[in-house]
Amino acid sequence: MASESGSTVWDCPFDYAEALEFDPTLKRLLTEEPVARIRLPYGEGEAWLVTRYEDVRTVTTDRRFSRHAIIGRDFPRMTPEPIVQAEAINVMDPPASSRLRSLVSKAFAPRQVERMREGTQRVVDELLDRMIEKGSPGDLMEDLASPLPLTTICEVLDIPDGDSAQLRAHARTMMNVSLDNKENAIHAKAEMRKYFEELTALRRREPGDDLISALATARHEGEVLDEKELTVMAMVLLITGQDTTTYEIGNLSYTLLTRPRELAMLRERPEALPQAIEEMLRFIPFRKGVGIPRVALEDVELSGVKIRAGDIVHVSYLTANRDSRKFDRADELDMEREGSSHMTFGWGAHHCLGAPLALTELQVALSTLLKRFPELRLAKPAEEVRWNKTSIWRYPLGLPVMW
């Protein structure tokens, strides 16, 4: 930490990656300085970091904070190249974002999600059949967590089979936080954009039953998505619709397999799994640090601290999920906790549109896994499980299991 103009500025590499332990720097900020000045590895200048649940809710819902205002700014961030793109819904403010969200939400209507559940169940059954055929021991990351979300989102978007591996590679390159990755990240982003420009143009000309076609033809008050919006929306869905769910399947499986009491409870009461998943999503630090910031459009006071117009403001959903003002025994995993209102899928105008699909995949994957493998257990001590250390996401690189 360094003092500047009489105020403390925290140097925040946010590179903590000890299994699924909570980042002690984030914990200190939540406890000691809930609205703090921080310096991040990339980007110009400093930013505010807001860590309390209520303050995070204010920043994510109050029109005095704008995501769109970050466009064109070299804002403080964790990755060498900004992952966001100017036309993406995740850097729009209402009412512009409201129009897109309305169009996209039509594609995630309950009827569509139920169709996705049926498809997910089929894919999970096939993957677990294959795992059983190969025999014990297996690797949950390789056999289930990695292929399931990619297969599912590629089916939903109707991505040709031969293209999915390269698209995943591009997505992972964009998420890498290493300094020497900058040129690769720029290239990966350009290549992925070019791919989806061509694919979305084709779907607009020749629509099918897939999600891209549904987006291309959806109307809201007579309007449709334009070419750039459709291209970037398809990219966002591909990126957020596969890797993050892969990591969470790994994280939730590891959490259950290292907590015998909770695992036994869910085996006895499988109907409690949806509620348990919500609690695990609250409890598990699923990523490092922070994501896309906002800009204060006017002076705003939060927890007694004045944020000036033009300042960059980051929020931490991780600390909001562990705020003892909101959650009793916030640092404990309580599978029977009710009404958790966690922020793992974001909040406000940027709550994850794909959350229904992600929850469907998590529920189907874990419920089927517990049902078909009543003696599933880790094949090596928990401390020997290797964890990712280069991405913004927290997840096991492998999860060896036996049954």
Side-chain angles (χ1 to χ4, degrees):
M1 290 184 292
S3 184
E4 193 170 287
S5 304
S7 63
T8 300
V9 181
W10 298 63
D11 282 313
C12 292
F14 290 136
D15 56 0
Y16 187 79
E18 296 301 315
L20 291 177
E21 297 299 315
F22 202 79
D23 184 338
T25 301
L26 279 173
K27 188 67 177 174
R28 277 192 69 192
L29 286 162
L30 174 63
T31 307
E32 299 174 20
E33 199 169 350
V35 180
R37 294 293 284 168
I38 64 168
R39 198 177 288 115
L40 287 165
Y42 305 102
E44 286 185 4
E46 299 159 4
W48 292 101
L49 176 60
V50 174
T51 49
R52 285 181 179 169
Y53 189 96
E54 287 302 327
D55 288 340
V56 170
R57 187 155 67 175
T58 297
V59 174
T60 54
T61 57
D62 194 313
R63 297 285 183 93
R64 292 175 295 174
F65 295 95
S66 166
R67 267 204 178 167
H68 188 67
I70 68 167
I71 299 300
R73 294 181 65 163
D74 186 19
F75 58 86
R77 61 186 182 275
M78 293 184 60
T79 54
E81 172 72 1
I83 296 168
V84 298
Q85 302 192 66
E87 304 88 354
I89 191 171
N90 49 12
V91 288
M92 289 184 179
D93 298 326
S97 63
S98 306
R99 168 182 156 269
L100 261 69
R101 289 183 72 85
S102 177
L103 286 164
V104 176
S105 65
K106 294 182 193 312
F108 285 109
R111 183 175 56 84
Q112 294 288 95
V113 171
E114 192 50 45
R115 277 181 58 194
M116 292 173 189
R117 180 180 290 274
E118 293 167 7
T120 301
Q121 185 67 65
R122 177 174 43 76
V123 175
V124 168
D125 288 338
E126 290 171 1
L127 291 171
L128 294 183
D129 286 345
R130 212 172 300 155
M131 191 164 108
I132 290 169
E133 282 172 23
K134 288 194 327 189
S136 179
D139 187 321
L140 276 187
M141 293 305 290
E142 180 184 322
D143 297 331
L144 177 66
S146 203
L148 171 62
L150 183 62
T151 303
T152 302
I153 197 65
C154 285
E155 282 193 5
V156 167
L157 299 176
D158 195 16
I159 303 287
D161 289 343
D163 298 343
S164 59
Q166 185 61 63
L167 291 173
R168 160 169 273 186
H170 287 329
R172 290 192 166 172
T173 299
M174 289 165 66
M175 302 290 178
N176 191 306
V177 297
S178 308
L179 179 59
D180 59 6
N181 180 58
K182 184 174 176 66
E183 290 305 315
N184 291 334
I186 292 171
H187 175 73
K189 191 170 169 182
E191 286 294 307
M192 187 179 274
R193 179 158 186 147
K194 181 170 178 287
Y195 177 88
F196 277 106
E197 280 174 353
E198 294 171 1
L199 185 65
T200 52
L202 175 63
R203 295 291 161 77
R204 210 187 275 281
R205 292 195 306 270
E206 303 170 16
D209 294 329
D210 59 285
L211 184 54
I212 294 176
S213 297
L215 289 169
T217 55
R219 292 186 174 273
H220 174 66
E221 296 179 356
E223 291 190 58
V224 296
L225 296 174
D226 67 29
E227 282 74 10
K228 286 182 179 178
E229 290 171 341
L230 183 59
T231 295
V232 175
M233 182 63 70
M235 282 181 68
V236 168
L237 288 168
L238 187 280
I239 293 169
T240 59
Q242 43 103 8
D243 271 4
T244 49
T245 313
T246 283
Y247 307 150
E248 286 293 55
I249 291 172
N251 290 339
L252 270 65
S253 298
Y254 172 86
T255 299
L256 288 176
L257 292 172
T258 53
R259 292 174 180 261
R261 187 171 65 85
E262 284 82 358
L263 180 59
M265 184 272 281
L266 289 176
R267 289 197 192 286
E268 290 172 17
R269 295 174 46 210
E271 71 279 3
L273 184 62
Q275 183 176 324
I277 287 175
E278 296 288 356
E279 169 65 356
M280 286 190 282
L281 289 174
R282 179 199 71 83
F283 178 79
I284 292 168
F286 70 109
R287 61 165 297 153
K288 298 176 189 172
V290 294
I292 306 169
R294 291 162 176 80
V295 177
L297 299 180
E298 57 185 83
D299 292 358
V300 183
E301 188 173 300
L302 291 174
S303 290
V305 176
K306 179 171 277 191
I307 294 171
R308 303 282 184 186
D311 285 355
I312 299 282
V313 183
H314 275 285
V315 299
S316 172
Y317 295 127
L318 301 173
T319 55
N321 282 344
R322 294 291 193 100
D323 187 349
S324 59
R325 294 164 192 80
K326 173 66 178 177
F327 302 102
D328 183 39
R329 297 170 292 106
D331 290 325
E332 292 180 26
L333 180 66
D334 178 2
M335 296 295 207
E336 298 184 76
R337 189 188 302 272
E338 294 182 357
S340 85
S341 301
H342 65 77
M343 290 188 170
T344 298
F345 291 118
W347 199 261
H350 292 285
H351 182 270
C352 176
L353 282 161
L357 177 58
L359 281 170
T360 296
E361 290 180 13
L362 292 174
Q363 289 172 9
V364 171
L366 290 176
S367 63
T368 310
L369 194 62
L370 294 180
K371 185 164 60 180
R372 294 188 61 177
F373 294 82
E375 296 182 19
L376 191 72
R377 59 197 182 278
L378 286 180
K380 59 166 64 175
E383 56 270 20
E384 292 182 21
V385 172
R386 294 185 308 114
W387 293 84
N388 171 273
K389 294 184 183 295
T390 60
S391 170
I392 60 175
W393 304 108
R394 304 270 294 274
Y395 61 94
L397 294 173
L399 201 53
V401 292
M402 46 202 300
W403 57 89

